[in-house]
Amino acid sequence: MKSIQFFLPPEHVPPPDSYGGEVTFFGVPHPGIYQVTVSRDVWIDVFENGTRLPVVGSSEAKGCDGVRKSMRFALAPGDLVLVQISGASEPSIKVAFEEAPDLAGRAGAAAVP
């Protein structure tokens, strides 16, 4: 990695010439499915209280300007959350973290498991 030592190791070993970053925050307001959306092809790891969370859903948008993929994780309120991005080919990407929208009620949208 070009300039980061991760607090916890990423699930996938990133190429040595890639970029990465991480952010830690104290919990979410209520339990639910939250998503991390990124503008480039990267790997996303989310940890809650030091435990890697499994991905509960994902989507990709290879032809969409500004959005490359989203990965969803089930979070509990009040816990320490660490979001890590690794394997980026550029030193800067856009990252959004939010509660996942309810896709089941949208016309033409498929629910993600």
Tab-separated table of all heavy atoms in Angstrom, residues 61-108:
chain	number	residue	atom	x	y	z
A	61	ALA	N	-22.080	-0.888	-10.709
A	61	ALA	CA	-22.515	-0.001	-11.788
A	61	ALA	C	-21.296	0.345	-12.633
A	61	ALA	O	-20.741	1.422	-12.506
A	61	ALA	CB	-23.170	1.253	-11.222
A	62	LYS	N	-20.886	-0.570	-13.486
A	62	LYS	CA	-19.660	-0.366	-14.261
A	62	LYS	C	-19.765	0.796	-15.237
A	62	LYS	O	-18.781	1.421	-15.553
A	62	LYS	CB	-19.289	-1.647	-14.992
A	62	LYS	CG	-18.867	-2.740	-14.042
A	62	LYS	CD	-18.436	-3.981	-14.768
A	62	LYS	CE	-18.035	-5.025	-13.734
A	62	LYS	NZ	-17.582	-6.250	-14.334
A	63	GLY	N	-20.946	1.131	-15.713
A	63	GLY	CA	-21.090	2.216	-16.678
A	63	GLY	C	-21.652	3.498	-16.094
A	63	GLY	O	-21.957	4.430	-16.820
A	64	CYS	N	-21.789	3.572	-14.793
A	64	CYS	CA	-22.410	4.729	-14.147
A	64	CYS	C	-21.329	5.716	-13.701
A	64	CYS	O	-20.430	5.363	-12.929
A	64	CYS	CB	-23.233	4.266	-12.956
A	64	CYS	SG	-24.148	5.570	-12.147
A	65	ASP	N	-21.403	6.942	-14.161
A	65	ASP	CA	-20.419	7.959	-13.809
A	65	ASP	C	-20.524	8.326	-12.332
A	65	ASP	O	-21.580	8.726	-11.859
A	65	ASP	CB	-20.632	9.196	-14.685
A	65	ASP	CG	-19.531	10.217	-14.498
A	65	ASP	OD1	-18.377	9.811	-14.279
A	65	ASP	OD2	-19.837	11.425	-14.581
A	66	GLY	N	-19.451	8.164	-11.594
A	66	GLY	CA	-19.401	8.583	-10.197
A	66	GLY	C	-19.759	7.513	-9.189
A	66	GLY	O	-19.537	7.695	-8.003
A	67	VAL	N	-20.355	6.405	-9.616
A	67	VAL	CA	-20.687	5.320	-8.697
A	67	VAL	C	-20.214	4.016	-9.318
A	67	VAL	O	-20.631	3.650	-10.407
A	67	VAL	CB	-22.204	5.236	-8.422
A	67	VAL	CG1	-22.524	4.024	-7.562
A	67	VAL	CG2	-22.704	6.498	-7.759
A	68	ARG	N	-19.333	3.308	-8.611
A	68	ARG	CA	-18.823	2.032	-9.127
A	68	ARG	C	-19.521	0.851	-8.485
A	68	ARG	O	-19.903	-0.090	-9.120
A	68	ARG	CB	-17.306	1.958	-8.896
A	68	ARG	CG	-16.658	0.663	-9.273
A	68	ARG	CD	-16.871	0.324	-10.747
A	68	ARG	NE	-16.236	-0.931	-11.088
A	68	ARG	CZ	-16.819	-2.117	-11.026
A	68	ARG	NH1	-18.058	-2.221	-10.633
A	68	ARG	NH2	-16.163	-3.206	-11.351
A	69	LYS	N	-19.654	0.890	-7.127
A	69	LYS	CA	-20.354	-0.197	-6.455
A	69	LYS	C	-20.761	0.216	-5.056
A	69	LYS	O	-20.255	1.188	-4.493
A	69	LYS	CB	-19.503	-1.455	-6.392
A	69	LYS	CG	-18.302	-1.403	-5.467
A	69	LYS	CD	-17.597	-2.751	-5.481
A	69	LYS	CE	-16.306	-2.729	-4.700
A	69	LYS	NZ	-15.646	-4.033	-4.717
A	70	SER	N	-21.706	-0.564	-4.514
A	70	SER	CA	-22.155	-0.416	-3.135
A	70	SER	C	-22.105	-1.778	-2.475
A	70	SER	O	-22.427	-2.788	-3.107
A	70	SER	CB	-23.593	0.107	-3.070
A	70	SER	OG	-23.683	1.424	-3.541
A	71	MET	N	-21.712	-1.798	-1.217
A	71	MET	CA	-21.736	-3.024	-0.426
A	71	MET	C	-22.506	-2.721	0.850
A	71	MET	O	-22.352	-1.653	1.446
A	71	MET	CB	-20.317	-3.508	-0.134
A	71	MET	CG	-19.561	-3.925	-1.393
A	71	MET	SD	-17.866	-4.448	-1.105
A	71	MET	CE	-18.125	-6.118	-0.529
A	72	ARG	N	-23.353	-3.688	1.262
A	72	ARG	CA	-24.233	-3.495	2.410
A	72	ARG	C	-23.814	-4.403	3.574
A	72	ARG	O	-23.416	-5.550	3.361
A	72	ARG	CB	-25.666	-3.757	1.999
A	72	ARG	CG	-26.138	-2.740	0.986
A	72	ARG	CD	-27.526	-3.071	0.448
A	72	ARG	NE	-27.862	-2.127	-0.611
A	72	ARG	CZ	-27.521	-2.295	-1.894
A	72	ARG	NH1	-26.854	-3.360	-2.261
A	72	ARG	NH2	-27.852	-1.398	-2.791
A	73	PHE	N	-23.987	-3.853	4.789
A	73	PHE	CA	-23.591	-4.549	6.004
A	73	PHE	C	-24.659	-4.314	7.071
A	73	PHE	O	-25.217	-3.223	7.162
A	73	PHE	CB	-22.254	-3.997	6.516
A	73	PHE	CG	-21.148	-4.070	5.506
A	73	PHE	CD1	-20.945	-3.045	4.591
A	73	PHE	CD2	-20.311	-5.172	5.457
A	73	PHE	CE1	-19.927	-3.112	3.646
A	73	PHE	CE2	-19.286	-5.247	4.514
A	73	PHE	CZ	-19.098	-4.221	3.607
A	74	ALA	N	-24.919	-5.335	7.906
A	74	ALA	CA	-25.862	-5.201	9.024
A	74	ALA	C	-25.101	-4.663	10.229
A	74	ALA	O	-24.124	-5.267	10.674
A	74	ALA	CB	-26.497	-6.545	9.342
A	75	LEU	N	-25.547	-3.513	10.744
A	75	LEU	CA	-24.885	-2.875	11.883
A	75	LEU	C	-25.836	-2.750	13.064
A	75	LEU	O	-27.045	-2.593	12.881
A	75	LEU	CB	-24.387	-1.482	11.498
A	75	LEU	CG	-23.297	-1.416	10.430
A	75	LEU	CD1	-23.024	0.034	10.054
A	75	LEU	CD2	-22.038	-2.075	10.920
A	76	ALA	N	-25.278	-2.780	14.259
A	76	ALA	CA	-26.029	-2.570	15.493
A	76	ALA	C	-25.726	-1.164	16.002
A	76	ALA	O	-24.674	-0.604	15.692
A	76	ALA	CB	-25.632	-3.620	16.524
A	77	PRO	N	-26.627	-0.569	16.786
A	77	PRO	CA	-26.378	0.793	17.268
A	77	PRO	C	-25.316	0.844	18.363
A	77	PRO	O	-25.128	-0.106	19.109
A	77	PRO	CB	-27.736	1.221	17.816
A	77	PRO	CG	-28.392	-0.049	18.227
A	77	PRO	CD	-27.907	-1.093	17.246
A	78	GLY	N	-24.614	1.954	18.412
A	78	GLY	CA	-23.705	2.239	19.508
A	78	GLY	C	-22.364	1.552	19.477
A	78	GLY	O	-21.599	1.673	20.421
A	79	ASP	N	-22.059	0.807	18.439
A	79	ASP	CA	-20.791	0.098	18.385
A	79	ASP	C	-19.750	0.886	17.604
A	79	ASP	O	-20.074	1.706	16.758
A	79	ASP	CB	-20.972	-1.272	17.727
A	79	ASP	CG	-21.800	-2.224	18.578
A	79	ASP	OD1	-21.751	-2.099	19.817
A	79	ASP	OD2	-22.492	-3.077	18.009
A	80	LEU	N	-18.492	0.580	17.858
A	80	LEU	CA	-17.383	1.178	17.115
A	80	LEU	C	-17.341	0.554	15.721
A	80	LEU	O	-17.291	-0.663	15.575
A	80	LEU	CB	-16.069	0.929	17.844
A	80	LEU	CG	-14.831	1.571	17.241
A	80	LEU	CD1	-14.906	3.090	17.356
A	80	LEU	CD2	-13.586	1.042	17.927
A	81	VAL	N	-17.372	1.376	14.681
A	81	VAL	CA	-17.395	0.907	13.299
A	81	VAL	C	-16.152	1.419	12.581
A	81	VAL	O	-15.806	2.589	12.686
A	81	VAL	CB	-18.663	1.393	12.565
A	81	VAL	CG1	-18.648	0.975	11.105
A	81	VAL	CG2	-19.913	0.875	13.255
A	82	LEU	N	-15.474	0.516	11.859
A	82	LEU	CA	-14.306	0.850	11.071
A	82	LEU	C	-14.607	0.483	9.622
A	82	LEU	O	-14.962	-0.655	9.332
A	82	LEU	CB	-13.085	0.058	11.564
A	82	LEU	CG	-11.810	0.135	10.728
A	82	LEU	CD1	-11.248	1.545	10.721
A	82	LEU	CD2	-10.788	-0.864	11.238
A	83	VAL	N	-14.487	1.461	8.718
A	83	VAL	CA	-14.674	1.236	7.285
A	83	VAL	C	-13.309	1.378	6.630
A	83	VAL	O	-12.646	2.397	6.798
A	83	VAL	CB	-15.666	2.249	6.668
A	83	VAL	CG1	-15.784	2.059	5.170
A	83	VAL	CG2	-17.032	2.141	7.339
A	84	GLN	N	-12.886	0.337	5.911
A	84	GLN	CA	-11.596	0.351	5.223
A	84	GLN	C	-11.799	0.211	3.723
A	84	GLN	O	-12.599	-0.594	3.270
A	84	GLN	CB	-10.712	-0.819	5.692
A	84	GLN	CG	-10.222	-0.678	7.094
A	84	GLN	CD	-9.305	-1.822	7.502
A	84	GLN	OE1	-8.685	-1.714	8.516
A	84	GLN	NE2	-9.209	-2.892	6.754
A	85	ILE	N	-11.064	0.995	2.980
A	85	ILE	CA	-11.055	0.944	1.518
A	85	ILE	C	-9.638	0.554	1.115
A	85	ILE	O	-8.666	1.152	1.571
A	85	ILE	CB	-11.406	2.324	0.907
A	85	ILE	CG1	-12.731	2.854	1.457
A	85	ILE	CG2	-11.387	2.257	-0.606
A	85	ILE	CD1	-13.941	2.035	1.115
A	86	SER	N	-9.515	-0.456	0.244
A	86	SER	CA	-8.181	-0.867	-0.199
A	86	SER	C	-8.212	-1.234	-1.675
A	86	SER	O	-9.261	-1.483	-2.251
A	86	SER	CB	-7.675	-2.053	0.635
A	86	SER	OG	-8.543	-3.158	0.519
A	87	GLY	N	-7.024	-1.247	-2.273
A	87	GLY	CA	-6.887	-1.649	-3.666
A	87	GLY	C	-7.263	-0.587	-4.674
A	87	GLY	O	-7.514	-0.893	-5.838
A	88	ALA	N	-7.265	0.679	-4.277
A	88	ALA	CA	-7.617	1.764	-5.198
A	88	ALA	C	-6.453	2.060	-6.131
A	88	ALA	O	-5.299	2.120	-5.707
A	88	ALA	CB	-7.981	3.032	-4.422
A	89	SER	N	-6.758	2.283	-7.402
A	89	SER	CA	-5.703	2.598	-8.368
A	89	SER	C	-5.372	4.087	-8.394
A	89	SER	O	-4.350	4.479	-8.940
A	89	SER	CB	-6.122	2.147	-9.772
A	89	SER	OG	-7.301	2.820	-10.168
A	90	GLU	N	-6.220	4.900	-7.797
A	90	GLU	CA	-6.019	6.350	-7.733
A	90	GLU	C	-5.911	6.786	-6.272
A	90	GLU	O	-6.487	6.151	-5.388
A	90	GLU	CB	-7.203	7.076	-8.384
A	90	GLU	CG	-7.445	6.710	-9.836
A	90	GLU	CD	-6.393	7.286	-10.754
A	90	GLU	OE1	-5.868	8.366	-10.453
A	90	GLU	OE2	-6.093	6.629	-11.764
A	91	PRO	N	-5.236	7.883	-5.982
A	91	PRO	CA	-5.086	8.333	-4.590
A	91	PRO	C	-6.349	8.963	-4.001
A	91	PRO	O	-6.412	9.197	-2.802
A	91	PRO	CB	-3.953	9.349	-4.664
A	91	PRO	CG	-3.972	9.848	-6.063
A	91	PRO	CD	-4.435	8.690	-6.908
A	92	SER	N	-7.362	9.213	-4.820
A	92	SER	CA	-8.576	9.866	-4.328
A	92	SER	C	-9.812	9.217	-4.949
A	92	SER	O	-9.862	9.022	-6.166
A	92	SER	CB	-8.535	11.353	-4.685
A	92	SER	OG	-9.714	11.986	-4.274
A	93	ILE	N	-10.775	8.872	-4.097
A	93	ILE	CA	-12.051	8.358	-4.576
A	93	ILE	C	-13.157	8.980	-3.733
A	93	ILE	O	-12.897	9.520	-2.658
A	93	ILE	CB	-12.144	6.814	-4.498
A	93	ILE	CG1	-12.137	6.339	-3.044
A	93	ILE	CG2	-11.044	6.157	-5.294
A	93	ILE	CD1	-12.496	4.886	-2.901
A	94	LYS	N	-14.385	8.881	-4.209
A	94	LYS	CA	-15.542	9.342	-3.438
A	94	LYS	C	-16.119	8.146	-2.696
A	94	LYS	O	-16.244	7.052	-3.241
A	94	LYS	CB	-16.589	9.937	-4.364
A	94	LYS	CG	-16.105	11.204	-5.035
A	94	LYS	CD	-17.144	11.738	-5.977
A	94	LYS	CE	-16.587	12.966	-6.686
A	94	LYS	NZ	-17.507	13.471	-7.697
A	95	VAL	N	-16.479	8.383	-1.419
A	95	VAL	CA	-17.048	7.338	-0.580
A	95	VAL	C	-18.265	7.917	0.126
A	95	VAL	O	-18.203	9.025	0.669
A	95	VAL	CB	-16.033	6.841	0.480
A	95	VAL	CG1	-16.661	5.782	1.369
A	95	VAL	CG2	-14.772	6.322	-0.183
A	96	ALA	N	-19.366	7.174	0.119
A	96	ALA	CA	-20.563	7.571	0.857
A	96	ALA	C	-20.955	6.442	1.795
A	96	ALA	O	-20.849	5.263	1.438
A	96	ALA	CB	-21.708	7.873	-0.106
A	97	PHE	N	-21.389	6.793	2.997
A	97	PHE	CA	-21.869	5.817	3.977
A	97	PHE	C	-23.246	6.265	4.407
A	97	PHE	O	-23.427	7.418	4.819
A	97	PHE	CB	-20.922	5.759	5.177
A	97	PHE	CG	-21.391	4.803	6.239
A	97	PHE	CD1	-21.093	3.452	6.140
A	97	PHE	CD2	-22.129	5.249	7.308
A	97	PHE	CE1	-21.532	2.566	7.117
A	97	PHE	CE2	-22.572	4.379	8.285
A	97	PHE	CZ	-22.273	3.026	8.195
A	98	GLU	N	-24.235	5.371	4.288
A	98	GLU	CA	-25.600	5.739	4.652
A	98	GLU	C	-26.419	4.500	4.945
A	98	GLU	O	-26.026	3.383	4.602
A	98	GLU	CB	-26.267	6.512	3.515
A	98	GLU	CG	-26.440	5.692	2.250
A	98	GLU	CD	-27.039	6.472	1.093
A	98	GLU	OE1	-27.605	7.546	1.319
A	98	GLU	OE2	-26.944	5.991	-0.035
A	99	GLU	N	-27.556	4.714	5.578
A	99	GLU	CA	-28.485	3.608	5.750
A	99	GLU	C	-28.966	3.196	4.368
A	99	GLU	O	-29.265	4.045	3.526
A	99	GLU	CB	-29.651	4.027	6.638
A	99	GLU	CG	-30.537	2.866	7.001
A	99	GLU	CD	-31.542	3.202	8.085
A	99	GLU	OE1	-31.693	4.390	8.442
A	99	GLU	OE2	-32.181	2.257	8.573
A	100	ALA	N	-29.008	1.891	4.106
A	100	ALA	CA	-29.385	1.401	2.783
A	100	ALA	C	-30.853	1.713	2.505
A	100	ALA	O	-31.697	1.538	3.378
A	100	ALA	CB	-29.138	-0.095	2.688
A	101	PRO	N	-31.140	2.168	1.292
A	101	PRO	CA	-32.531	2.425	0.943
A	101	PRO	C	-33.309	1.112	0.867
A	101	PRO	O	-32.750	0.057	0.585
A	101	PRO	CB	-32.439	3.089	-0.432
A	101	PRO	CG	-31.129	2.669	-0.979
A	101	PRO	CD	-30.221	2.443	0.203
A	102	ASP	N	-34.598	1.199	1.134
A	102	ASP	CA	-35.467	0.036	1.019
A	102	ASP	C	-35.787	-0.186	-0.450
A	102	ASP	O	-36.579	0.552	-1.032
A	102	ASP	CB	-36.733	0.256	1.818
A	102	ASP	CG	-37.707	-0.906	1.723
A	102	ASP	OD1	-37.316	-1.977	1.222
A	102	ASP	OD2	-38.861	-0.738	2.145
A	103	LEU	N	-35.157	-1.182	-1.057
A	103	LEU	CA	-35.344	-1.425	-2.482
A	103	LEU	C	-36.629	-2.188	-2.791
A	103	LEU	O	-37.084	-2.189	-3.916
A	103	LEU	CB	-34.148	-2.203	-3.041
A	103	LEU	CG	-32.800	-1.493	-2.948
A	103	LEU	CD1	-31.699	-2.389	-3.461
A	103	LEU	CD2	-32.825	-0.188	-3.710
A	104	ALA	N	-37.212	-2.843	-1.784
A	104	ALA	CA	-38.374	-3.692	-2.031
A	104	ALA	C	-39.586	-2.886	-2.500
A	104	ALA	O	-40.397	-3.377	-3.271
A	104	ALA	CB	-38.729	-4.470	-0.772
A	105	GLY	N	-39.707	-1.641	-2.077
A	105	GLY	CA	-40.880	-0.849	-2.407
A	105	GLY	C	-40.743	-0.036	-3.686
A	105	GLY	O	-41.656	0.666	-4.071
A	106	ARG	N	-39.611	-0.103	-4.355
A	106	ARG	CA	-39.390	0.694	-5.558
A	106	ARG	C	-39.807	-0.075	-6.810
A	106	ARG	O	-39.446	-1.238	-6.977
A	106	ARG	CB	-37.919	1.061	-5.713
A	106	ARG	CG	-37.447	2.045	-4.700
A	106	ARG	CD	-36.021	2.381	-5.051
A	106	ARG	NE	-35.512	3.412	-4.202
A	106	ARG	CZ	-34.232	3.688	-4.112
A	106	ARG	NH1	-33.365	3.012	-4.810
A	106	ARG	NH2	-33.825	4.644	-3.333
A	107	ALA	N	-40.499	0.578	-7.709
A	107	ALA	CA	-40.869	-0.032	-8.963
A	107	ALA	C	-39.626	-0.280	-9.797
A	107	ALA	O	-38.778	0.587	-9.929
A	107	ALA	CB	-41.839	0.859	-9.723
A	108	GLY	N	-39.479	-1.492	-10.310
A	108	GLY	CA	-38.367	-1.804	-11.192
A	108	GLY	C	-37.063	-2.103	-10.476
A	108	GLY	O	-36.068	-2.378	-11.110
